[in-house]
Amino acid sequence: MWKRARESVCLICRSASTPTRALLEPTQPWLGQRTFATRRPERPSRMVLSDRVARGPSSPPGKGGDVPKKPRNKPDGPWAGMNRTVANIDRTRSPAKFASTRGRDDGNGKDDRRGGKERDFKALKMQRALSTVPYSLRQAVKARLTEIESFDQFDLRQDVKDAVTNEVLKGMTDIKPTPVQKLAISAMLGNPLKELRIRRRSKDALQREEFLLAAETGSGKTLAYLLPTIHHLRKQEAEDENVTRYNERLQVEREHRNGAPVSEWIEKFEPHPNTARPRAIVLVPTAELVEQVYKVAKSISHVAKFKVRPLSANYNPAKIQRNLYSHGGIDMIISTPHILAKIAERDPNILSRVHHLVIDEADSLFDRSFSPETGKIVDRSLPSLKQMVLCSATIPRRLDNYLDAHFPNIQRIVTPNLHAIPRRVQLGVIDVSKDPYRNNKLLACADAIWSIGKDAASHDGPGGPGEIDVKRIMVFVNERDSTQEVTDYLISKGIDAVALHRDTSDQRQAEALATFTSNEPLKITKEESEKRAQLVKSRRHLPNTKVIVATDLASRGIDTLAVRHVVLYDVPHTTIDFIHRLGRAGRMGRRGRGIVLVGKNDRRDVVAEVKESMYMGQALI
Ligand SMILES: Nc1ncnc2c1ncn2[C@@H]1O[C@H](COP(=O)(O)OP(=O)(O)OP(=O)(O)O)[C@@H](O)[C@H]1O
């Protein structure tokens, strides 16, 4: 079935544009034979954040799924309205008043005049959406968040709990689960909120559990899905007769060989029942994320004892072969969809025993560049699946509608601040069209970095007065071609910058990312800094900053805990990009600062809207 071509309107410029390729493409068979043609013709819904993630669309797209329900006259419960933070004004009852103060409404909660007034309607629309989340559900979430205070309260295996404190969060005191971990771990261990009523529409629901984990960037989603998955893996293994029999045979063979190695015997005669048959799969969009999630899973495996292997384009075919067909069996694979789908084409059995499938950065992996491969993996794994988890910090409307239509039983675990950039992250705006930059964005960018560096230089490093604290700054550009241009300019201005894009060599990329993902403070002594300055004595030198210039490649999922500053060289195309790029700073409760450079062709009102939403702590839509 072909989706109907229609005019779409760009989020940033709101100008009419030709239909996107996605709208013209045939629907993937695994997406089901549905059309999204009746969607409102404004902008592609894959670029629009859903404001109804906790509840799902009220009905499938095309049947009013996108249209908010008419507000009910009856309140939601006996105490409804008591915890309102805004006046309970029903704008449908006083159109004249609203029209006079806010301009004309186009019926979708939007002002048809362009400019500042539109924001008022957006805010109103969001409040209306929030107020219809059932009172009982809000209360249940609140209760669960307060009742769980430590990882010990979860029904997890002791070795998994030990792995959290002794490996993953080693060295931290007062370890507490984050909100998404509290909600997701309990639910995935079989203790969901009963208020999250699941509409059991299909038989599949009886044999498989499905979860959507939607929570802010840097809120600990990786542990939220890894811990219960590993718990289930270990539990199932203990109950698996094949594995028990294999271990007994292995023991007998060891005794028989009097301590001599048994690896040859295993290779030739009796491979482990889990060889090349992983029971858990985690899909992520990039090779960098494969390494990151693998590192966390590997550290848990030191204590909880399971076999995890990474697969990505970073590994050559021989290494991939070794990783998959290792004699000791394999329990969990962390992979990009492209590599795994290719392997599954050659050896379909590889996905024949998958019990747990996690799709991290789900909005990317269900988007057009990944969806064919992701779809193949989902399709092949479905018959054996016991749990499927989709995870993301941004849920576009299209994904929301898709989930409602194809996974109606999905349990939506959504944290209250989803789609909002936390207030602890501040956004500064530099108008590049004004003096002293006069549209020289490169100069403005270098200046912004110099001001961050100079600011930091006035403070002593953590080691005392003899040390300088090195700041890690990420600069995001929209186009890959700009990364090198911006990097070269920054270097010419004495700034230590590295370009990160698909063509950067693996080693250089890994080195640069390692500096940015390390949680250790980065510092140099004053003598070192002076020496470096002398080496480049012909020009100014900023010794106390390290900069990565990247495209979206580095904006998704990369855990840059130590980054406090993000420079948005280009205004992001969508609010989704805003959330992910700014989400590299201010992670896990830390403070952060974003600086956006606005040129003469950029939409200032969109930037102003994002800034205001951030100031008010509201979700971006
Ligand atoms: N309970 C916890 N207490 C303290 N730190 C934690 C806790 N859980 C996770 N972390 C740390 O928080 C950081 C961010 O976690 P993670 O990468 O899982 O975030 P995320 O929600 O997946 O972010 P993104 O949406 O950007 O991918 C990691 O460094 C992780 O070790």
Side-chain angles (χ1 to χ4, degrees), residues 172 176 181 217-222 557 559 561 584 587-588:
M172 286 178 63
K176 284 189 183 144
Q181 290 166 355
T217 52
S219 58
K221 292 187 287 298
T222 314
D559 185 27
L561 260 186
R584 294 318 102 197
R587 296 172 74 76
M588 207 30 81

Side-chain angles (χ1 to χ4, degrees), residues 262-282:
V262 289
S263 51
E264 208 175 289
W265 166 79
I266 295 174
E267 195 173 343
K268 282 199 180 145
F269 303 108
E270 207 145 345
H272 193 284
N274 292 346
T275 301
R277 302 286 178 274
R279 285 171 299 136
I281 286 178
V282 178

Side-chain angles (χ1 to χ4, degrees), residues 10-12 43-44 46-49 394 478 552 556 568 571-581 606 610 620-621:
C10 168
L11 170 69
I12 300 292
R43 36 188 154 137
R46 64 190 178 83
M47 291 182 181
V48 183
L49 289 168
T394 45
N478 284 348
D552 257 352
R556 284 266 176 176
L568 305 181
V571 174
H573 289 310
T574 64
T575 43
I576 297 174
D577 293 338
F578 256 112
I579 289 176
H580 286 286
R581 291 178 190 185
V606 171
V610 169
L620 307 185
I621 52 174

Side-chain angles (χ1 to χ4, degrees), residues 52 68 114 118 127 247 365 401 404 426 463 477 493 499 595:
R52 308 167 56 87
R114 298 283 172 252
E118 190 172 354
Q127 293 301 342
N247 285 337
L365 294 196
N401 290 331
D404 194 55
Q426 293 175 344
V477 295
K493 294 290 170 193
I595 298 174

Side-chain angles (χ1 to χ4, degrees), residues 151 164 168-169 172-181 215-225 289 292-293 296 360-361 391-394 517 519 555-561 579-580 583-584 587-590:
F151 281 97
V164 175
V168 189
L169 304 178
M172 286 178 63
T173 49
D174 193 25
I175 295 173
K176 284 189 183 144
T178 62
V180 67
Q181 290 166 355
E216 310 77 49
T217 52
S219 58
K221 292 187 287 298
T222 314
L223 279 186
Y225 64 69
L289 270 180
Q292 182 175 298
V293 177
V296 179
D360 201 347
E361 304 296 341
C391 180
S392 183
T394 45
T517 49
N519 198 13
S555 81
R556 284 266 176 176
I558 299 291
D559 185 27
T560 47
L561 260 186
I579 289 176
H580 286 286
R584 294 318 102 197
R587 296 172 74 76
M588 207 30 81
R590 289 160 198 232

